[in-house]
């Protein structure tokens, strides 16, 4: 007879009812947006986060003026909370009676999800109305088997890419058309960038992202370039939104932003790109090779990349 595991001491138990609130606040980095998502008041969200912090004896968020960022403890808890909630969701779907849900669970970076995948996802849904696509957008390299994920789109150096290549990446400066027409600060040559605002993305510890300017500056021989001022963002999609709004020049990751270029929301002031030697690769989990919907989704990603 199997010996049951020992009970968890009550002094070490978490308030599980607080975790959905923490998950929403950690994803949105906003108590206000979390409150809207959960249909609560902002003060109720703030109070639940405070209770969770008190129970842990650690601050989960750094609260600034109109800003919210995760502490190191908060990042640890976010990964664990997300993993736990996804496992519970998967388990509940398996044990709940009724028609079995046709689901494809996938992981990718936040930038790929918001800028490339989500604008195209309606086309997959139109042809697969019975399939629920669940997206885990994160910079963490999630293990497909451990997290029961079917498909991954990995953004990695081309030398170590596994699976089918979607596309490799090049970078070049992009800005709003209005900024290009500014006669007071023309953008005729790369050196003119010194008179403009640089929109850049902070690199999380442990990641060598190409969403910053270094590869392009190196190719152009402008390692010592100093621009008028700099705006820092934690998410690449936010830097892109600022560029579309005409607030500065962003380093454009192509073909990730190709649709914005095609729509003339962003333009390239110079015809000079730099290869980053990184790319996006589709990996299908071993357990998903028997899931026809997962295989269809992976193939759809490849077709969309070719047409783009």
């Amino acid at each position: 007879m199997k010996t049951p595991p020992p009970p968890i001491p009550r002094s070490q138990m978490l308030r599980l009812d607080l975790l959905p609130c923490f998950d929403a606040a950690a994803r949105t980095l906003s108590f206000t947006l979390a409150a809207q998502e959960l249909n609560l008041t902002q003060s109720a969200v703030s109070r639940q986060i405070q209770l969770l912090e008190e129970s842990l004896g650690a601050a989960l968020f750094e609260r600034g003026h109109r800003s919210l960022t995760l502490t190191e403890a908060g990042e640890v808890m976010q990964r664990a909370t997300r993993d736990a909630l996804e496992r519970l969701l998967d388990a509940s779907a398996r044990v709940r009676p009724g028609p079995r849900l046709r689901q494809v669970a996938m992981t990718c970076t936040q930038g790929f999800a918001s800028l490339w995948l989500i604008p195209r996802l309606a086309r997959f849904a139109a042809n697969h109305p019975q399939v629920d696509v669940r997206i885990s957008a994160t910079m963490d390299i999630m293990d497909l088997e451990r997290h029961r994920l079917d498909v991954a789109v990995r953004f990695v150096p081309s030398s170590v890419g596994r699976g089918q290549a979607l596309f490799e990446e090049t970078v070049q400066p992009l800005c709003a058309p209005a900024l290009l027409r500014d006669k007071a600060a023309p953008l005729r040559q790369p050196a003119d960038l010194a008179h403009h605002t640089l929109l850049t993305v902070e690199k999380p510890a442990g990641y060598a992202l190409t969403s910053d300017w270094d590869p392009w500056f190196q190719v152009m021989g402008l390692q010592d370039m100093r621009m008028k001022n700099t705006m820092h963002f934690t998410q690449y999609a936010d830097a892109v939104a600022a560029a579309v709004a005409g607030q500065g020049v962003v380093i454009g990751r192509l073909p990730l932003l190709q649709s914005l270029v095609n729509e003339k929301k962003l333009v390239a002031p110079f015809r000079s790109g730099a290869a980053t030697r990184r790319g996006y690769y589709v990996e299908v989990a071993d357990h998903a090779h028997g899931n026809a919907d997962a295989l269809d989704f992976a193939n759809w990603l490849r077709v969309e990349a070719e047409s783009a």
Side-chain angles (χ1 to χ4, degrees), residues 62-307:
E62 291 183 1
R63 297 157 174 83
H65 179 63
R66 295 186 178 180
S67 68
L68 197 67
T69 57
L70 286 166
T71 62
E72 184 176 350
E75 292 177 351
V76 171
M77 282 299 297
Q78 183 191 30
R79 288 191 292 269
T81 298
R82 197 68 190 160
D83 182 32
L85 292 177
E86 288 177 353
R87 284 172 175 266
L88 288 170
L89 182 64
D90 182 62
S92 64
R94 291 171 181 271
V95 303
R96 185 178 290 122
R100 186 170 180 81
L101 181 66
R102 292 172 58 183
Q103 183 182 88
V104 176
M106 66 92 62
T107 180
C108 61
T109 64
Q110 296 101 323
F112 182 86
S114 61
L115 296 169
W116 195 92
L117 177 59
I118 291 175
R120 294 169 166 82
L121 200 56
R123 291 199 281 268
F124 179 82
N127 293 322
H128 302 79
Q130 306 297 323
V131 179
D132 176 29
V133 179
R134 180 163 60 92
I135 303 171
S136 294
T138 176
M139 291 305 299
D140 293 329
I141 305 299
M142 302 183 73
D143 183 272
L144 300 186
E145 299 301 328
R146 177 171 176 265
H147 292 93
R148 301 303 297 174
L149 294 164
D150 302 306
V151 178
V153 175
R154 310 286 198 193
F155 179 52
V156 294
S158 302
S159 59
V160 299
R162 294 176 55 189
Q164 181 72 39
L166 288 184
F167 41 73
E168 292 191 340
E169 182 187 70
T170 60
V171 292
Q172 67 181 114
L174 295 175
C175 65
L179 203 63
L180 196 60
R181 295 191 295 266
D182 186 359
K183 295 181 180 180
L187 276 170
R188 299 191 183 95
Q189 56 188 349
D192 292 335
L193 286 169
H195 307 294
H196 288 267
T197 298
L198 175 81
L199 306 176
T200 186
V201 178
E202 297 177 352
K203 296 181 181 181
Y207 292 100
L209 300 183
T210 58
S211 53
D212 59 5
W213 287 77
D214 291 345
W216 188 82
F217 278 154
Q218 291 173 9
V219 168
M220 301 303 296
L222 298 171
Q223 294 92 328
D224 298 327
M225 169 69 73
R226 294 293 181 270
M227 298 178 71
K228 183 176 67 173
N229 51 56
T230 304
M231 294 177 62
H232 295 272
F233 299 86
T234 57
Q235 299 294 335
Y236 181 61
D238 295 335
V240 172
V244 171
Q247 296 179 18
V249 186
V250 71
I251 194 67
R253 298 164 60 183
L254 301 174
L256 206 60
L257 303 186
Q258 192 60 53
S259 60
L260 293 175
V261 175
N262 294 342
E263 296 166 6
K264 307 297 184 185
K265 293 181 179 179
L266 291 174
V267 294
F270 323 113
R271 297 185 179 278
S272 53
T276 64
R277 296 175 182 165
R278 295 174 69 90
Y280 293 85
Y281 293 80
V282 178
E283 183 181 344
V284 178
D286 291 339
H287 71 260
H289 284 285
N291 182 343
D293 294 323
L295 297 179
D296 285 347
F297 183 73
N299 184 64
W300 172 80
L301 288 170
R302 292 189 285 265
V303 172
E304 284 290 323
E306 290 173 2
S307 63

Side-chain angles (χ1 to χ4, degrees), residues 1-5:
M1 182 176 179
K2 188 176 180 181
T3 303

